[in-house]
Amino acid sequence: FIIFYCAKWFSVIVNNPKQTTKRNMMRISLFLLALAPAIITGFSVHNEGAVSRRESFTKTASLFSGAVAAGVLGVPASSWAAVSEETPRVTTRMGGLLEKYQDSRGWIIMAPSGWNKFDGEVGAYDIKWQDLVDPTDNIKLSSTPVKSTTTSIDALGPVADVGASLAAKRNAKLIRAEERQTDGVLFYFFDFALDDGTHQMLQLCVNKGKIWSLDANTLEKRYSKRKEMYDNILGSFSPKLS
């Protein structure tokens, strides 16, 4: 079923390139976004090593982003660009709650002080910080190579549409969907309340030939206490050293 409809859309694009308008491309983008959870489920191995629901949620966004960035849709890299003003990168230490972390691979973040740090789990994340007391409080960063012609996250479409589609397919409530430009990089930010009692902030961007996904997780009952710190952590990330 999935292959049939994907083939149908691709046929339209290839055979009628002049009739493939921006509106149609956006519809195709959202169509593939809707299919992403099904694709993930169809190719998942249901065993003890299966990813958690929150990780699946992040992978849904990453999978779709990868499909767009790989050139599947042929959407111009800056089709929906709208942000022009620069937002400074967050550098606050919040009185010692955060500390500067600069990775040798060329990115920087204000990381939570005193949390356990885990390096690289293939297919899950590049790096993770996890609270010493409750592992449901964690920050994960992952990156996936993309086609060199994809230079911005706006290839996904308007930030509000992407956020609404992600929320709908995961039975989550979209709290916020925002975009900002920092250090010349466009970021998409989403804030979700999931129906399993957890809360996730998700941030996506494209730089240096990769799509970067940064997510911050906690229980819904602790969200109000973590919100400020998580906002600052996501606002401090830059996929390049300035």
Side-chain angles (χ1 to χ4, degrees):
F1 175 79
I2 293 173
I3 294 174
F4 172 78
Y5 277 99
C6 284
K8 180 179 179 181
W9 280 116
F10 295 158
S11 177
V12 171
I13 295 171
V14 172
N15 296 322
N16 302 279
K18 294 184 179 180
Q19 297 178 20
T20 305
T21 64
K22 183 186 295 184
R23 180 183 296 274
N24 287 333
M25 293 309 300
M26 186 165 68
R27 287 175 179 171
I28 297 170
S29 299
L30 296 178
F31 171 74
L32 283 186
L33 182 56
L35 290 181
I39 296 172
I40 291 173
T41 301
F43 288 91
S44 295
V45 178
H46 297 285
N47 54 31
E48 294 180 357
V51 295
S52 69
R53 183 172 184 179
R54 279 177 295 164
E55 289 171 334
S56 243
F57 187 75
T58 304
K59 285 178 179 294
T60 299
S62 296
L63 176 66
F64 178 64
S65 302
V68 174
V72 173
L73 299 181
V75 180
S78 298
S79 297
W80 293 281
V83 179
S84 58
E85 293 185 3
E86 277 278 321
T87 299
R89 189 178 70 83
V90 174
T91 58
T92 179
R93 295 180 181 271
M94 295 188 70
L97 291 177
L98 302 178
E99 59 186 8
K100 181 180 178 180
Y101 179 84
Q102 184 168 306
D103 194 87
S104 59
R105 289 165 287 188
W107 52 267
I108 190 170
I109 194 173
M110 298 301 292
S113 303
W115 286 25
N116 287 324
K117 182 172 74 70
F118 301 91
D119 291 318
E121 182 176 313
V122 178
Y125 57 81
D126 293 352
I127 193 169
K128 177 172 78 171
W129 285 272
Q130 183 172 287
D131 183 45
L132 292 172
V133 178
D134 194 331
T136 58
D137 285 13
N138 59 76
I139 311 289
K140 296 191 299 295
L141 175 68
S142 61
S143 62
T144 304
V146 296
K147 200 171 182 180
S148 60
T149 53
T150 300
T151 58
S152 176
I153 196 63
D154 63 3
L156 286 173
V159 64
D161 291 350
V162 175
S165 295
L166 280 171
K169 299 309 171 184
R170 301 303 301 174
N171 293 319
K173 180 181 180 181
L174 178 63
I175 308 299
R176 289 180 287 167
E178 302 170 351
E179 57 186 333
R180 64 178 169 84
Q181 182 171 290
T182 300
D183 294 335
V185 178
L186 181 65
F187 292 83
Y188 275 10
F189 169 86
F190 308 103
D191 192 351
F192 300 103
L194 282 69
D195 65 358
D196 62 356
T198 61
H199 203 105
Q200 182 181 77
M201 294 181 180
L202 173 66
Q203 181 172 273
L204 303 171
C205 71
V206 172
N207 192 58
K208 294 188 295 191
K210 294 182 179 181
I211 181 168
W212 300 82
S213 173
L214 178 62
D215 61 271
N217 308 280
T218 188
L219 292 177
E220 188 62 47
K221 63 182 180 182
R222 285 203 299 275
Y223 169 66
S224 60
K225 296 180 179 179
R226 292 295 191 196
K227 180 180 180 299
E228 183 182 3
M229 184 176 78
Y230 282 1
D231 274 334
N232 284 327
I233 291 174
L234 269 63
S236 73
F237 174 72
S238 178
K240 62 182 182 180
L241 302 179
S242 54

